[in-house]
Amino acid sequence: MDVKSRNYLLMNRQALEKDIKTSYIMDRMISDEALTLQEEEKVKQQNTQKERAAMLINIILTKDNNSYRSFYNALLHEGYRDLAALLQDGIPAISSGSRKSSMDGMTSYVKTILCEGGVPQRPVVFVTRPKLVDAIKQKLCCLGGDPGWVTVYGMAGCGKTVLTAEALRDHQLLEDYFPGGVHWISVGKQDKAGLLIKLQNLCSRLEHDSTLSQRPPLNIEEAKDRLRLLMLRKYPRSLLILDDVWDSWVLKAFDNQCQVLITSRDRSVTDAVAGNKYEVHVESGLAHEKGLEILSLFVNMKISELPEQANCLVRECKGSPLVISLIGALLRDFPSRWEYYLKQLQNKQFKRIRKSSSYDYEALDEAMSISVEQLNDNYKDYYKDLSILPKDVKVPTKVLCILWDMETEEVEDILQEFVNKSLLFCDRNGKSFHYYLHDLQLDFLTEKNHNQLQELHKNIVNQYKKYYKLNTPVPSQEDCMYWYNFLAYHMAGANMQKELHDLMFSLDWIKAKTELLGPAHLIHEYVEYSSVLDQKNSTVRENFQEFLSLNGHLLGRQPFPDIIQLGLCQPETSEVCQQAKLHAQRETGAFYLEWINKKSLKNLYRLVVRPHRDAVYHACFSKDRQRIASCGADKTLQVFKAESGERLLEISAHDDEILCCAFSADGEFVATCSADKKVKIWNSRTGQCRCVYEEHTEQVNCCQFNNRSGQYLLATCSNDTFIKLWDLNKKYCRNTMMGHVNSVNHCRFSPNDEYVASCSTDGTVKLWEARSANELKSIEIKDFFKNADESPDDVDVLVKCCSWSRNGDMILVVAKNKLLLFDVKTCDLLTQVIVSHHSTIQYCDFCPGDELVAVALSHCSVELWNIKSLSKVAYCRGHMSWVHCVTFSPDGSLFLTSSDDQTIRIWETKKVCKSSDAVLKSELDVVFHNGEVMILAIYNQKHLQLINGNTDSVVMQTAAQESPISCCCLSEDLKFAAFGQESGTIKVLQLLDGKVLKSQEAYRTSVQHCRFTSDCQTLISSAHNSVIQVWNWQLSECVFLRGHKEAIKDFRLLEDSKLLSWSFDGTVKVWNITTGNIEKDFPCHGGAVLSCAVSPDGSKFSSTSADKTAKIWSFESSSVLHELKGHEACVRCCTFSPNNKLLATGDDKGEIRIWDILTGALLHFCSPVTADEEEPTHGGWVTDLSFSPDSEMLVSSGGYLKWWNVTTGESLQTFYTNGTNLKSIHVSPNFKVYVTVDNLGILYVLQKL
């Protein structure tokens, strides 16, 4: 054992003997083969714990370095981290004992592992720095098999990459600590798209021998997940090396409980990730002797033989290995130019490149210029072509083959010349080479060739067009990702307006690019290159940008939606719709739908994003309106661009749901608060955690920064009844405001920051002085909800939220379904508004103009109210679930909403205020008559509308009814309509003029269903009870069908005055509607019967139930023919095929099954494959099914509409409605027109193209 290691054991012996229990530690050491069973027995024979520990240490002292390492790792694994820390500095260096450079460890095993892992080879001229190499090895050993991070940091050009690669050339290190191999990724300065490419390349490299070739991951989160599984299952105990990491957010993608080594110039880069962390600092400059050694190796001379200029050259190079290598490479080719190169460096006559980064090599651009000048003229032109490469991007050889129209080998030879002269860097990624310029080299080139950049960009675009002609690159080609990421960049750089126009406005390109990269990058390009795209007019670009902005949440999901079908749903005047129609007409045999009545729908939002994988509880704009921060149930904080939705930051911020987030006034910080009782402050640019506050004792509901820049004050409130004020500059709680007696739900600073308002479940709003934390005023909100005979103590009022007017004179308060506006000085109620009778208000926000108030409601919608006129000015629908938050942008031109449906929607205030709020109920009736589609719908709850579906015109509308309408039906001859009301009344009216012909108070509960008989003289209805009413409305005669024990689910008419009904009591009955007698009674199911269907020949019927089964029955024998088992949820619907051979059933898990009627055998599943685990197939329940006349197709409704091939079970098309929860689908006899309504009240009349 090393003397140093032995001394550390002896020095800390007392602490070790006092604390350790030996049994588990010995188990680990035995498995490491560092201890024998006999030695274990010897330890166990000792009487006390302390004696056993002493014996174990005595045994270790007689052993080698390996035992010391094993003992250190055992302490770490068994929870003795403080004791392990005492021994850490004594860990023996792996290659100690021999200083003959690390060549000793270079076995064929090592070569294979490093080659497979993409570790860079030794440079041609290599000078060993054993102390640093050993330090890196030692820290890698410290990981000891546990997940963690080793950071090798230092200035750019100081040799971090070479030293790290050298440390890995050690057989014992790889065999003992990383038997799973090493995987090297050159990261560099990346945006999200660039990082995704890296991750895709790494995943494909790790999957290379997998029999199942997977498509590349579509987003960083998916890539992270796949990488985690690969490292866990396929490459356990392997090391991931991330070379040249610039940004801490990049590490989030690799934070997978694995072992990672990072090289970076930023020591704090790992602050944003969890786990054990170790550091190795690489000094910024080489020792003078090492610099001379590099020069001597380049020029093949002994140090003592070097000319006197050598010392001066090394000094001028400031010890940077990179610059010394550049000069050395030049001197190798021109050995007589020592004086010349020294003068060039000393005179600094080359124009300095302005750099945004903090590189510190003063001589680099000079060395660069000299290096370029030494190239022969032919090569200079090739090097000039590299001026237009994007920064920090590794370019596949294939791209340059296309640019120069050469074979791979020729291109590699040219590039190798640049690499040899240190003018270019090469990264071997698997089999192919990727080349990149240091960003200073690129700055140098763009500065030098700035007059020719447009021509150079034009050249690469022309070469691309020549090579690919009219095709697009496919993912299997190594250059594919480059073109999808940067082709538009080159076209814009060349100012090629037509080419950029054709590319960016092509649905084929959009489809291919969004499938690979998602929509945010494309939206960003529409914004970035708008000046080139808008040279004639901006309409087309706006069409495409809007299309991607509003469908981004769909384009990020799996399976990837049909972009042509999405395009067909765009407004008729949109270029996207026109292109989609041309595509649809060209594709023979494809199934596309046109939304006939779409012109009545205006898109009121500007962008829809889906950054979270669960409910979004809060979102807010930064002061400059450029960024949005959001948080929610998935425990993450997201920051993204407000214009494109492009993700800037993703932080796993808390251990529980994050309930609120807020930007500081200057946008530098974001605060988050959580159900884990913590408040955290994050750097909004880097994602680095600045501080954590843990003084609240229960969940923290809200956090808000003050409004003025310069002073960072944060107010937080919690279920612990306290409001706390934090000063970020002092990092402690400045004040605690005590006074509420129940949970505090919300708090906000007044516009001048002098006061804080708080809302509580105790039914009060309190105003506090920010400086002193004294309570100024308390408003009893409960008083405004009590009835005359109630005392305030009997009333429970949860005050949800408040918002200050711009001048701070008024405060708006939200409780239950009311908005209350108070005068701050007098606490007088100025006005109140009852917003809704059907839902509660979740959140409110004052528009900076003071007249408008936005209100988020629990029934999926947002409303804007004019607080002066007390009128509702806008109704915003689009979310599919509860809306938790609504926030205006600082200038009031936009507002955003966040919801349980995982989306954030950004709305334009002006656009929204001009819209109308027509909403249809999901109960409707449709008659397909002589090519016309006539729809009877319930409009805004109390009106009945007859709509011509072909023309989207309202033919007839009734006056408002006294009670909301609950169901409706049309007669087949389109002469009459009937409707039932929530009050239990049924009415029959004449369609010609809307005149009510007959009315009857039929029930005491809401009417659920009504239908005319074929002669239109009788109306059959059911309500929330067990009786069916048969009403001959013309003769005013009634027959009651009594027999069910529980409420009727539904009914349908059969031939010969018969009726089939099914109920929650589990039975199905056949009635004679003339006599009111039960003719047949089928005890079908143990649970509620949810649907029934009758076979086309009338001999059989099917029933489906909440007991997860379906059954086929014979009318004649009254017996069950087949029981169909296998569904894993309630079977919600069923239908027979017209050819009388098949039955389709749909369940609440989104699964559809096709059965053989004759045998009862299961033929097919129809269930879409989904990669989003949180998302149910079919978007939820399957609620309705219908076969085509030839029995070869099936349409289903649920979360959206789907069409299926009955023979194969494959999906033919999906139509994504704006809302969800479609209750039924009405299909024309020729299977070409489809009508439904979503939960937002939007009507869809779809026609097959």
Side-chain angles (χ1 to χ4, degrees):
M1 185 184 295
D2 281 3
V3 175
K4 184 182 173 187
S5 304
R6 187 181 175 80
N7 286 342
Y8 266 84
L9 262 180
L10 292 168
M11 202 160 57
N12 297 295
R13 180 174 188 148
Q14 206 171 350
L16 292 163
E17 288 177 0
K18 187 173 152 192
D19 284 341
I20 62 171
K21 292 181 181 173
T22 53
S23 56
Y24 290 116
I25 287 172
M26 290 196 294
D27 286 348
R28 285 205 172 264
M29 291 185 72
I30 288 165
S31 70
D32 285 346
E33 296 179 348
L35 199 71
T36 65
L37 291 170
Q38 290 80 0
E39 287 164 339
E40 183 193 33
E41 200 51 48
K42 204 171 171 183
V43 173
K44 283 182 176 174
Q45 284 167 4
Q46 307 308 308
N47 295 325
T48 66
Q49 178 186 317
K50 190 170 180 181
E51 285 170 356
R52 287 192 285 277
M55 177 57 74
L56 177 61
I57 290 166
N58 285 338
I59 292 169
I60 295 169
L61 284 165
T62 65
K63 291 178 166 285
D64 60 7
N65 288 340
N66 197 37
S67 301
Y68 187 97
R69 282 191 212 101
S70 177
F71 180 54
Y72 169 80
N73 286 332
L75 288 172
L76 267 182
H77 278 291
E78 296 307 327
Y80 298 102
R81 291 185 179 276
D82 50 342
L83 295 175
L86 297 174
L87 300 183
Q88 185 175 318
D89 289 340
I91 297 173
I94 288 207
S95 58
S96 61
S98 165
R99 284 273 180 224
K100 290 182 285 183
S101 94
S102 354
M103 290 293 286
D104 302 345
M106 258 316 248
T107 59
S108 59
Y109 165 77
V110 171
K111 285 179 184 171
T112 307
I113 293 289
L114 299 193
C115 184
E116 285 177 356
V119 177
Q121 295 177 352
R122 269 200 192 106
V124 180
V125 170
F126 172 68
V127 176
T128 181
R129 296 153 84 183
K131 196 173 171 186
L132 282 167
V133 171
D134 284 352
I136 295 169
K137 290 183 189 179
Q138 192 171 336
K139 298 302 180 191
L140 286 171
C141 297
C142 289
L143 289 174
D146 279 346
W149 309 79
V150 173
T151 306
V152 179
Y153 71 93
M155 272 176 46
C158 66
K160 301 181 293 290
T161 301
V162 173
L163 290 167
T164 299
E166 194 58 26
L168 299 173
R169 295 186 178 96
D170 187 301
H171 187 108
Q172 191 182 349
L173 175 75
L174 296 181
E175 199 173 57
D176 291 356
Y177 289 88
F178 309 109
V182 296
H183 311 290
W184 185 290
I185 306 104
S186 298
V187 181
K189 185 103 176 104
Q190 291 299 344
D191 60 4
K192 297 287 178 183
L195 180 61
L196 182 56
I197 296 168
K198 299 275 175 201
L199 286 161
Q200 288 168 334
N201 288 340
L202 178 61
C203 288
S204 70
R205 192 163 97 195
L206 296 178
E207 290 167 342
H208 66 93
D209 59 352
S210 174
T211 47
L212 237 166
S213 168
Q214 296 195 58
R215 58 152 182 78
L218 291 180
N219 54 54
I220 289 173
E221 195 55 44
E222 186 184 344
K224 179 181 177 180
D225 219 35
R226 190 171 311 170
L227 185 58
R228 179 178 61 78
L229 292 174
L230 282 164
M231 297 301 275
L232 189 71
R233 295 174 184 172
K234 202 171 171 192
Y235 299 95
R237 294 192 68 202
S238 61
L239 177 68
L240 204 55
I241 301 106
L242 307 179
D243 185 31
D244 194 21
V245 175
W246 285 52
D247 299 300
S248 55
W249 63 263
V250 168
L251 299 188
K252 294 302 179 72
F254 302 92
D255 193 359
N256 276 331
Q257 292 289 301
C258 53
Q259 296 178 301
V260 187
L261 185 149
I262 299 155
T263 72
S264 178
R265 61 191 178 87
D266 183 359
R267 184 179 183 178
S268 65
V269 77
T270 56
D271 286 357
V273 290
N276 297 327
K277 292 170 192 171
Y278 305 94
E279 289 181 348
V280 177
H281 180 222
V282 180
E283 295 85 2
S284 57
L286 287 171
H288 192 77
E289 290 69 31
K290 288 286 178 191
L292 292 172
E293 190 180 343
I294 290 178
L295 284 179
S296 70
L297 288 166
F298 266 109
V299 296
N300 200 17
M301 297 164 78
K302 289 180 181 172
I303 293 178
S304 57
E305 296 169 355
L306 289 172
E308 57 186 29
Q309 292 95 333
N311 281 306
C312 300
L313 267 172
V314 171
R315 271 196 296 274
E316 285 296 326
C317 290
K318 310 284 192 290
S320 165
L322 185 60
V323 185
I324 294 172
S325 300
L326 280 166
I327 296 293
L330 292 166
L331 287 166
R332 183 178 54 197
D333 292 343
F334 302 97
S336 62
R337 293 190 178 177
W338 290 86
E339 188 64 37
Y340 171 70
Y341 293 137
L342 177 59
K343 273 185 186 164
Q344 299 288 346
L345 289 173
Q346 283 173 335
N347 294 339
K348 304 211 183 303
Q349 62 195 58
F350 295 92
K351 191 174 172 188
R352 286 295 293 157
I353 299 165
R354 282 205 190 93
K355 314 178 298 247
S356 59
S357 45
S358 59
Y359 297 124
D360 189 28
Y361 7 100
E362 298 300 319
L364 180 57
D365 15 330
E366 286 87 339
M368 273 283 313
S369 187
I370 299 164
S371 300
V372 175
E373 289 307 312
Q374 300 310 318
L375 295 170
N376 72 42
D377 289 346
N378 204 9
Y379 275 52
K380 276 184 197 169
D381 285 340
Y382 290 131
Y383 196 60
K384 181 168 70 179
D385 285 342
L386 305 183
S387 307
I388 44 92
L389 294 183
K391 264 195 180 181
D392 303 311
V393 173
K394 292 183 181 173
V395 181
T397 316
K398 175 87 179 286
V399 172
L400 298 163
C401 292
I402 292 169
L403 172 60
W404 293 330
D405 200 7
M406 289 182 185
E407 294 296 318
T408 305
E409 291 75 13
E410 291 177 272
V411 169
E412 285 175 354
D413 288 346
I414 293 169
L415 297 174
Q416 191 56 44
E417 179 73 15
F418 302 150
V419 172
N420 290 342
K421 288 201 164 37
S422 302
L423 287 169
L424 188 69
F425 296 90
C426 176
D427 177 30
R428 182 159 195 172
N429 190 352
K431 291 177 186 172
S432 63
F433 290 99
H434 285 65
Y435 296 92
Y436 61 100
L437 290 158
H438 192 286
D439 65 347
L440 285 182
Q441 294 168 324
L442 196 51
D443 285 348
F444 168 82
L445 278 175
T446 49
E447 180 79 14
K448 186 170 184 252
N449 303 310
H450 67 275
N451 291 328
Q452 295 161 277
L453 292 179
Q454 190 165 321
E455 277 309 307
L456 294 172
H457 278 295
K458 191 176 281 186
N459 183 38
I460 195 170
V461 173
N462 289 334
Q463 289 300 104
Y464 166 87
K465 285 163 67 182
K466 179 180 167 186
Y467 183 85
Y468 278 107
K469 299 183 174 67
L470 296 172
N471 304 314
T472 50
V474 294
S476 58
Q477 295 165 319
E478 64 165 324
D479 60 328
C480 161
M481 294 304 268
Y482 181 86
W483 297 117
Y484 281 120
N485 274 295
F486 301 113
L487 183 56
Y489 155 78
H490 289 305
M491 287 178 173
N495 199 25
M496 298 172 81
Q497 195 220 341
K498 184 185 182 304
E499 287 80 356
L500 186 63
H501 194 281
D502 292 347
L503 180 81
M504 299 285 286
F505 302 152
S506 150
L507 278 180
D508 289 328
W509 179 258
I510 290 170
K511 179 178 189 291
K513 180 159 178 168
T514 47
E515 276 194 46
L516 280 172
L517 300 169
H521 192 264
L522 253 174
I523 298 170
H524 168 72
E525 286 181 329
Y526 285 123
V527 176
E528 185 83 3
Y529 308 133
S530 57
S531 58
V532 185
L533 293 168
D534 294 353
Q535 280 174 14
K536 285 182 182 168
N537 71 57
S538 61
T539 311
V540 177
R541 195 251 318 153
E542 286 166 359
N543 288 165
F544 278 87
Q545 192 175 324
E546 181 179 78
F547 170 59
L548 285 171
S549 297
L550 303 186
N551 291 288
H553 60 302
L554 297 174
L555 294 169
R557 67 168 53 177
Q558 289 297 317
F560 193 81
D562 187 322
I563 206 155
I564 309 302
Q565 183 58 65
L566 289 179
L568 288 168
C569 297
Q570 293 300 291
E572 205 65 31
T573 53
S574 166
E575 180 66 25
V576 181
C577 181
Q578 298 306 316
Q579 269 200 46
K581 278 189 174 175
L582 291 172
H583 274 270
Q585 286 156 9
R586 280 204 305 266
E587 291 188 35
T588 50
F591 187 93
Y592 287 112
L593 299 136
E594 188 173 8
W595 183 4
I596 301 174
N597 65 322
K598 68 183 170 189
K599 66 174 180 288
S600 62
L601 186 80
K602 296 179 187 73
N603 275 321
L604 302 178
Y605 27 88
R606 174 167 167 164
L607 180 69
V608 185
V609 285
R610 191 174 168 218
H612 294 272
R613 295 178 304 283
D614 208 332
V616 190
Y617 291 145
H618 197 84
C620 57
F621 287 97
S622 60
K623 263 285 191 319
D624 61 4
R625 218 185 79 173
Q626 299 300 306
R627 294 175 295 156
I628 290 169
S630 64
C631 60
D634 65 0
K635 308 174 195 173
T636 68
L637 167 69
Q638 310 277 350
V639 179
F640 53 92
K641 289 182 183 174
E643 188 78 55
S644 65
E646 194 175 353
R647 188 174 285 161
L648 300 170
L649 269 186
E650 178 176 22
I651 304 168
S652 294
H654 287 268
D655 302 326
D656 207 334
E657 297 185 336
I658 306 177
L659 304 176
C660 187
C661 59
F663 273 108
S664 61
D666 60 5
E668 283 302 302
F669 299 106
V670 180
T672 55
C673 61
S674 163
D676 67 6
K677 309 174 193 173
K678 292 176 189 167
V679 178
K680 297 187 182 184
I681 312 295
W682 308 88
N683 183 310
S684 72
R685 311 280 175 190
T686 65
Q688 191 177 337
C689 185
R690 172 168 168 161
C691 43
V692 182
Y693 300 130
E694 300 187 59
E695 290 187 28
H696 282 294
T697 55
E698 292 191 42
Q699 78 171 32
V700 189
N701 295 314
C702 179
C703 56
Q704 287 285 326
F705 275 103
N706 63 328
N707 298 300
R708 281 185 302 217
S709 297
Q711 186 187 16
Y712 296 113
L713 287 180
L714 181 76
T716 60
C717 60
S718 161
N719 282 4
D720 62 12
T721 74
F722 302 135
I723 303 108
K724 287 182 181 285
L725 212 56
W726 312 86
D727 188 331
L728 264 63
N729 294 325
K730 297 182 180 166
K731 299 189 178 178
Y732 60 82
C733 175
R734 195 172 95 167
N735 283 318
T736 300
M737 301 170 184
M738 296 176 278
H740 285 294
V741 294
N742 208 328
S743 305
V744 189
N745 304 309
H746 192 250
C747 57
R748 269 194 184 177
F749 277 97
S750 62
N752 62 5
D753 292 337
E754 287 183 16
Y755 307 107
V756 174
S758 61
C759 307
S760 168
T761 306
D762 64 14
T764 66
V765 170
K766 291 183 186 289
L767 303 183
W768 313 79
E769 195 175 57
R771 186 167 296 190
S772 66
N774 291 334
E775 182 182 323
L776 286 178
K777 292 172 181 169
S778 183
I779 305 171
E780 291 283 344
I781 304 297
K782 290 191 290 190
D783 293 352
F784 301 97
F785 286 86
K786 67 180 175 58
N787 298 323
D789 55 345
E790 288 180 308
S791 74
D793 295 339
D794 299 332
V795 184
D796 276 339
V797 175
L798 188 159
V799 188
K800 267 275 173 78
C801 172
C802 63
S803 182
W804 294 83
S805 62
R806 185 166 50 177
N807 59 9
D809 289 349
M810 299 180 289
I811 190 161
L812 185 73
V813 179
V814 160
K816 292 191 175 178
N817 61 348
K818 277 186 188 177
L819 284 176
L820 302 114
L821 187 66
F822 293 95
D823 182 293
V824 170
K825 283 181 183 157
T826 64
C827 294
D828 291 342
L829 178 68
L830 300 174
T831 187
Q832 63 174 315
V833 183
I834 295 175
V835 170
S836 167
H837 291 285
H838 299 282
S839 61
T840 56
I841 304 174
Q842 299 297 307
Y843 205 86
C844 73
D845 198 28
F846 241 129
C847 182
D850 274 359
E851 284 197 10
L852 283 183
V853 172
V855 178
L857 296 164
S858 58
H859 69 218
C860 320
S861 67
V862 174
E863 293 178 358
L864 296 192
W865 286 74
N866 184 313
I867 205 70
K868 289 186 178 169
S869 65
L870 302 187
S871 58
K872 180 168 39 167
V873 291
Y875 175 82
C876 313
R877 52 189 180 167
H879 283 294
M880 299 187 193
S881 191
W882 279 37
V883 184
H884 288 289
C885 164
V886 56
T887 319
F888 280 101
S889 61
D891 63 357
S893 62
L894 303 174
F895 63 94
L896 58 77
T897 54
S898 66
S899 163
D900 263 353
D901 67 10
Q902 304 176 15
T903 68
I904 294 164
R905 289 167 195 256
I906 297 159
W907 313 71
E908 291 185 46
T909 311
K910 276 185 184 168
K911 223 184 201 184
V912 162
C913 290
K914 289 175 185 167
S915 68
S916 61
D917 60 344
V919 177
L920 303 183
K921 280 189 77 166
S922 52
E923 290 75 20
L924 75 165
D925 197 15
V926 183
V927 170
F928 299 97
H929 183 72
N930 295 336
E932 285 201 323
V933 183
M934 300 307 290
I935 301 155
L936 189 67
I938 302 162
Y939 166 75
N940 283 358
Q941 304 236 351
K942 292 193 174 182
H943 299 268
L944 208 58
Q945 272 189 354
L946 183 66
I947 301 164
N948 184 320
N950 305 63
T951 61
D952 193 28
S953 55
V954 176
V955 179
M956 181 278 299
Q957 179 174 314
T958 66
Q961 302 298 308
E962 62 285 351
S963 165
I965 302 171
S966 50
C967 63
C968 60
C969 66
L970 279 168
S971 65
E972 285 176 25
D973 58 9
L974 291 176
K975 287 183 179 175
F976 307 107
F979 61 89
Q981 294 175 262
E982 287 182 12
S983 61
T985 304
I986 300 172
K987 294 181 182 178
V988 177
L989 53 88
Q990 197 164 266
L991 280 179
L992 192 63
D993 53 10
K995 182 184 171 189
V996 174
L997 301 174
K998 282 282 171 77
S999 174
Q1000 185 195 24
E1001 291 182 16
Y1003 300 97
R1004 289 180 184 169
T1005 58
S1006 178
V1007 184
Q1008 291 300 293
H1009 302 284
C1010 59
R1011 276 186 203 100
F1012 283 105
T1013 53
S1014 53
D1015 62 6
C1016 308
Q1017 294 188 12
T1018 303
L1019 186 71
I1020 302 169
S1021 61
S1022 66
H1024 270 310
N1025 63 17
S1026 59
V1027 179
I1028 298 169
Q1029 188 167 309
V1030 181
W1031 176 36
N1032 187 321
W1033 60 275
Q1034 290 186 333
L1035 301 175
S1036 300
E1037 292 175 355
C1038 251
V1039 176
F1040 296 97
L1041 310 182
R1042 304 179 196 274
H1044 283 295
K1045 292 187 172 62
E1046 288 183 44
I1048 309 294
K1049 181 71 177 78
D1050 206 349
F1051 57 83
R1052 66 169 289 167
L1053 283 154
L1054 305 173
E1055 292 176 353
D1056 306 326
S1057 302
K1058 303 281 195 295
L1059 181 114
L1060 187 75
S1061 68
W1062 52 97
S1063 160
F1064 287 96
D1065 63 12
T1067 68
V1068 176
K1069 302 185 192 301
V1070 179
W1071 308 82
N1072 183 316
I1073 60 172
T1074 313
T1075 64
N1077 295 332
I1078 298 174
E1079 299 208 341
K1080 288 186 186 292
D1081 198 345
F1082 298 89
C1084 289
H1085 294 275
V1089 182
L1090 300 178
S1091 74
C1092 284
V1094 177
S1095 63
D1097 63 4
S1099 66
K1100 296 179 272 293
F1101 77 92
S1102 60
S1103 60
T1104 70
S1105 169
D1107 66 10
K1108 303 180 186 177
T1109 67
K1111 294 180 182 178
I1112 300 175
W1113 301 80
S1114 162
F1115 276 121
E1116 196 177 333
S1117 66
S1118 300
S1119 60
V1120 64
L1121 300 175
H1122 301 292
E1123 185 172 1
L1124 312 175
K1125 293 181 176 177
H1127 281 287
E1128 294 174 16
C1130 296
V1131 190
R1132 181 96 13 211
C1133 55
C1134 59
T1135 186
F1136 284 93
S1137 63
N1139 65 8
N1140 218 17
K1141 292 181 179 177
L1142 308 171
L1143 178 75
T1145 55
D1147 69 22
D1148 286 1
K1149 266 188 86 177
E1151 190 177 84
I1152 297 163
R1153 293 174 176 233
I1154 311 284
W1155 311 83
D1156 185 309
I1157 293 175
L1158 201 62
T1159 64
L1162 175 65
L1163 301 176
H1164 289 299
F1165 292 98
C1166 299
S1167 54
V1169 181
T1170 176
D1172 295 344
E1173 287 173 29
E1174 298 89 353
E1175 202 167 296
T1177 52
H1178 214 306
W1181 300 354
V1182 181
T1183 54
D1184 202 0
L1185 296 161
S1186 184
F1187 277 100
S1188 61
D1190 60 7
S1191 305
E1192 290 185 4
M1193 283 171 72
L1194 180 74
V1195 62
S1196 60
S1197 64
Y1200 32 80
L1201 297 175
K1202 283 194 82 72
W1203 284 259
W1204 308 89
N1205 180 320
V1206 172
T1207 315
T1208 62
E1210 286 174 11
S1211 169
L1212 297 171
Q1213 189 53 272
T1214 303
F1215 186 93
Y1216 291 99
T1217 47
N1218 287 33
T1220 182
N1221 297 353
L1222 313 174
K1223 284 195 178 174
S1224 62
I1225 173 103
H1226 297 262
V1227 185
S1228 65
N1230 63 3
F1231 205 68
K1232 287 189 175 174
V1233 181
Y1234 314 87
V1235 182
T1236 190
V1237 171
D1238 66 20
N1239 65 338
L1240 303 178
I1242 298 169
L1243 176 70
Y1244 301 85
V1245 182
L1246 309 178
Q1247 185 169 322
K1248 183 177 180 291
L1249 273 177

